[in-house]
Amino acid sequence: PMPDIVYLAHPIDFVRNGEFRPGVRKLVANTVDSAISELLDRGVGTYSPGTAFSTPTVTGVKLGPIIQDVNRFALTRCSGLIAFFTGEFTIGTCREIELASRHSIPYVAWSPPELDLSKSWMLTDAVAVGHDIVELIVRLRMETSSVAAPAD
């Protein structure tokens, strides 16, 4: 059986040296950490693509394309996805949502209250969109418990 793992998509592709706009880094860290804790309390594992970039490497070796392949593979093996939108520019999070949709992996989209994602027609196939991470996890869990695991 497929392990129950949720992919945590968040804006990391344009972050350099850990720098976000002021206040955003803490918001992302706190919200992602809250999601991880909530999911673990429910017996669900998580995969965060950002952790792949902390992999040690040989000087001069570019890991970007390799990490992208690893993250794509990981996403296709997850039972669900949470997309975190913070107002930071990102292409990666949007591509991760597209890949999840293509593989029929249910997803939810979180944003802070000042960013209203409900107006985006691009998220119409989301299980839920909102600002309360616990409520979004509950909705995602309801959906993933009724969906069969993706085929190999």
Side-chain angles (χ1 to χ4, degrees):
M2 174 94 34
D4 203 5
I5 298 174
V6 171
Y7 189 98
L8 305 173
H10 51 285
I12 58 172
D13 47 335
F14 283 89
V15 175
R16 297 291 177 256
N17 301 320
E19 293 301 318
F20 286 98
R21 287 181 292 114
V24 173
R25 180 176 208 44
K26 188 173 186 174
L27 173 68
V28 170
N30 289 346
T31 307
V32 170
D33 286 349
S34 292
I36 291 169
S37 294
E38 187 69 29
L39 288 161
L40 289 175
D41 286 349
R42 295 167 185 271
V44 179
T46 61
Y47 178 82
S48 181
T51 58
F53 288 94
S54 62
T55 304
T57 184
V58 177
T59 304
V61 173
K62 292 186 178 185
L63 280 182
I66 296 167
I67 291 172
Q68 188 174 8
D69 288 345
V70 168
N71 285 342
R72 283 183 183 149
F73 180 79
L75 195 157
T76 64
R77 297 304 186 255
C78 287
S79 55
L81 178 141
I82 300 174
F84 297 87
F85 287 96
T86 61
E88 289 295 302
F89 181 72
T90 180
I91 295 171
T93 303
C94 302
R95 291 189 70 187
E96 290 161 329
I97 286 174
E98 182 62 29
L99 184 61
S101 291
R102 196 171 338 138
H103 287 274
S104 301
I105 297 168
Y107 73 93
V108 295
W110 174 90
S111 70
E114 63 272 11
L115 183 60
D116 186 4
L117 297 178
S118 68
K119 295 180 178 164
S120 173
W121 57 269
M122 292 296 295
L123 298 173
T124 56
D125 60 342
V127 171
V129 173
H131 314 296
D132 182 332
I133 193 62
V134 175
E135 179 185 326
L136 290 171
I137 288 169
V138 168
R139 297 279 305 275
L140 182 64
R141 298 302 303 138
M142 288 171 42
E143 183 71 20
T144 58
S145 65
S146 66
V147 174
D152 284 339

